[in-house]
């Protein structure tokens, strides 16, 4: 009897150990995030955030978002340099990334298959959330003599890559001022190349669509005083009437050393994701970003809020993100 009792005791102990090990392995829980609580496991090992050039706003914010997602979900996430909005939508469609920064207008064109996406409709991408206004900044030097859109005629002007968000913005703003690409000498440069070109005298002005303060423009202003060409109220209103995804904006005095506020227009910046990402993962990603906006050091972090996370989005919202915003805004 004693031997049987001892054997039963040993077997029971072994079963308890095996049960505990199985629970640790399959319970789906890992270490806690900074918000407290346990992080669920996901069937995704790695995420890539497609941003833009290193001197824009997307790239530094992308690095912060990657850190937040990694910390809060346990899924290793990195920010990648890219050609920004239009290229990012195409890259998501091709499976070259899982998350991407994109302008709200470009996301709409892509999912509708219009303008630069004519015949190339993007159908595998949905929205994670809105971020902040992206101001269309027409930059030149303070001593260039260029003070208005009309002064651009015959000048070398960077308009971004063909098919890019910046290119579309440049084309539409020129149009509303009675100009076309034929009236200027368009140059297809990224933000860093644009400001380098202005500094060296190779070009006269550049369209830069990004959240201010934009790194490339700050760098230019550090060596040469910059001037931002204004969009007057009547032109802004005409632009918005034709292209309603624009909004009136203003670059505050003090930005880039400006002595007074400059009227401008903006579109929205947003995050897009692959539709096939798991709902629980996208929910966790949205929560990681919008619950931790106090950890965003960039000036645009002040605009990123859960309560405005669906503002200006004209494409389908991922169910995981929709679940998050429904919870926090209801």
């Amino acid at each position: 009897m004693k031997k049987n009792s001892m054997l039963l005791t040993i077997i029971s102990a072994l079963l308890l150990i095996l049960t505990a090990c199985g629970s640790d392995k399959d319970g789906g829980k890992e270490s806690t995030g900074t918000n407290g609580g346990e992080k669920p496991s996901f069937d995704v090992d790695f995420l890539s955030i497609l941003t833009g050039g290193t001197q824009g706003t997307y790239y530094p914010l992308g690095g912060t978002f990657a850190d937040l997602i990694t910390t809060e979900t346990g899924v290793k996430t990195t920010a990648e340099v890219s050609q920004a909005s239009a290229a990012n939508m195409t890259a998501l469609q091709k499976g070259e990334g899982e998350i991407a920064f994109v302008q709200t207008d470009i996301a709409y064109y892509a999912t509708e298959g219009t303008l630069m996406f004519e015949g190339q409709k993007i159908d595998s991408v949905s929205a994670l959330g809105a971020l902040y206004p992206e101001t269309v900044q027409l930059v030149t030097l303070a001593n260039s003599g260029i003070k208005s859109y009309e002064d651009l005629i015959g000048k070398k002007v960077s308009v971004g890559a063909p098919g890019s968000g910046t290119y579309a913005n440049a084309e539409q703003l020129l149009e509303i001022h009675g100009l076309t690409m034929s009236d200027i000498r368009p140059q297809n440069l990224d933000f860093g190349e644009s400001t380098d070109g202005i500094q060296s005298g190779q070009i006269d002005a550049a369209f830069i669509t990004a959240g201010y303060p934009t790194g490339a423009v700050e760098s230019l202003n550090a060596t040469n005083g910059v001037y931002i060409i204004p969009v007057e109220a009547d032109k802004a209103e005409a632009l918005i009437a034709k292209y309603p995804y624009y909004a009136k904006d203003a670059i505050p005095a003090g930005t880039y050393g400006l002595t007074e506020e400059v009227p401008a227009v903006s579109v929205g910046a947003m995050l897009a994701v692959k539709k096939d990402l798991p709902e629980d993962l996208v929910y966790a990603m949205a929560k990681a970003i919008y619950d931790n906006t106090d950890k965003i050091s960039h000036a645009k972090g002040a605009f990123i809020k859960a309560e405005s996370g669906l503002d200006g989005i004209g494409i389908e919202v991922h169910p995981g993100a929709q679940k998050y915003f429904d919870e926090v805004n209801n």
Side-chain angles (χ1 to χ4, degrees):
M1 289 294 292
K2 288 183 178 179
K3 288 183 178 179
N4 288 340
S5 177
M6 185 176 293
L7 182 60
L8 286 172
T9 300
I10 293 171
I11 291 172
S12 297
L14 287 171
L15 286 172
L16 285 171
I17 292 170
L18 289 171
T19 301
C21 289
S23 176
D24 286 344
K25 181 179 179 181
D26 302 321
K29 302 293 181 181
E30 295 178 351
S31 59
T32 59
T34 58
N35 282 330
E38 294 179 314
K39 294 183 296 183
S41 295
F42 302 102
D43 293 329
V44 175
D45 298 321
F46 179 80
L47 293 168
S48 177
I49 303 179
L50 306 175
T51 63
T54 57
Q55 297 194 59
T57 305
Y58 289 171
Y59 185 72
L61 274 179
T64 299
F65 292 169
D67 289 343
L68 290 174
I69 293 170
T70 299
T71 299
E72 298 297 331
T73 71
V75 179
K76 176 64 176 176
T77 307
T78 61
E80 311 293 342
V81 174
S82 77
Q83 295 301 310
S85 291
N88 286 353
M89 290 296 286
T90 301
L92 286 182
Q93 177 89 333
K94 293 179 178 179
E96 296 172 358
E98 292 75 38
I99 316 164
F101 283 78
V102 61
Q103 292 176 202
T104 50
D105 55 333
I106 301 305
Y108 177 80
Y109 299 151
T111 56
E112 293 294 310
T114 58
L115 292 185
M116 72 283 291
F117 293 97
E118 188 76 42
Q120 302 175 51
K121 184 175 180 178
I122 304 294
D123 58 9
S124 64
V125 176
S126 55
L128 184 146
L131 297 173
Y132 58 86
E134 285 204 278
T135 307
V136 186
Q137 305 165 74
L138 181 47
V139 183
T140 187
L141 295 181
N143 62 3
S144 69
I146 301 173
K147 301 299 179 183
S148 68
Y149 274 76
E150 292 69 28
D151 292 335
L152 296 176
I153 295 173
K155 304 295 187 183
K156 289 184 178 180
V157 183
S158 173
V159 295
S164 68
T166 298
Y167 189 95
N169 301 146
E171 196 167 45
Q172 290 160 356
L173 273 162
L174 288 170
E175 173 196 350
I176 224 68
H177 286 86
L179 304 173
T180 69
M181 289 289 177
S182 298
D183 292 309
I184 63 173
R185 298 163 68 186
Q187 311 293 307
N188 303 123
L189 306 174
D190 66 24
F191 294 167
E193 292 169 337
S194 294
T195 52
D196 286 347
I198 291 174
Q199 183 175 10
S200 66
Q202 297 300 304
I203 64 172
D204 301 293
F207 284 91
I208 293 179
T209 302
Y212 62 77
T214 308
V217 184
E218 287 188 306
S219 296
L220 176 62
N221 186 64
T223 55
N224 304 81
V226 301
Y227 180 78
I228 309 296
I229 298 169
V231 179
E232 302 301 343
D234 61 330
K235 298 299 184 183
E237 288 161 9
L239 181 73
I240 294 165
K242 185 165 186 178
Y243 303 106
Y245 39 75
Y246 283 98
K248 285 186 178 181
D249 200 354
I251 302 171
T255 309
Y256 314 133
L258 299 173
T259 57
E260 57 186 38
E261 181 179 273
V262 177
V265 293
S266 62
V267 291
M270 62 176 280
L271 287 175
V273 293
K274 292 281 291 179
K275 282 184 178 180
D276 59 8
L277 286 180
E279 181 176 333
D280 57 349
L281 175 57
V282 176
Y283 171 89
M285 287 158 47
K287 185 175 180 62
I289 292 170
Y290 291 92
D291 278 8
N292 291 284
T293 55
D294 59 320
K295 297 180 175 67
I296 300 173
S297 59
H298 192 282
K300 284 302 171 187
F303 293 86
I304 303 172
K305 302 177 186 296
E307 54 265 35
S308 58
L310 297 179
D311 290 359
I313 290 179
I315 70 172
E316 177 185 350
V317 179
H318 193 286
Q322 187 68 59
K323 178 182 177 182
Y324 169 79
F325 290 118
D326 287 345
E327 285 183 5
V328 298
N329 293 323
N330 292 323

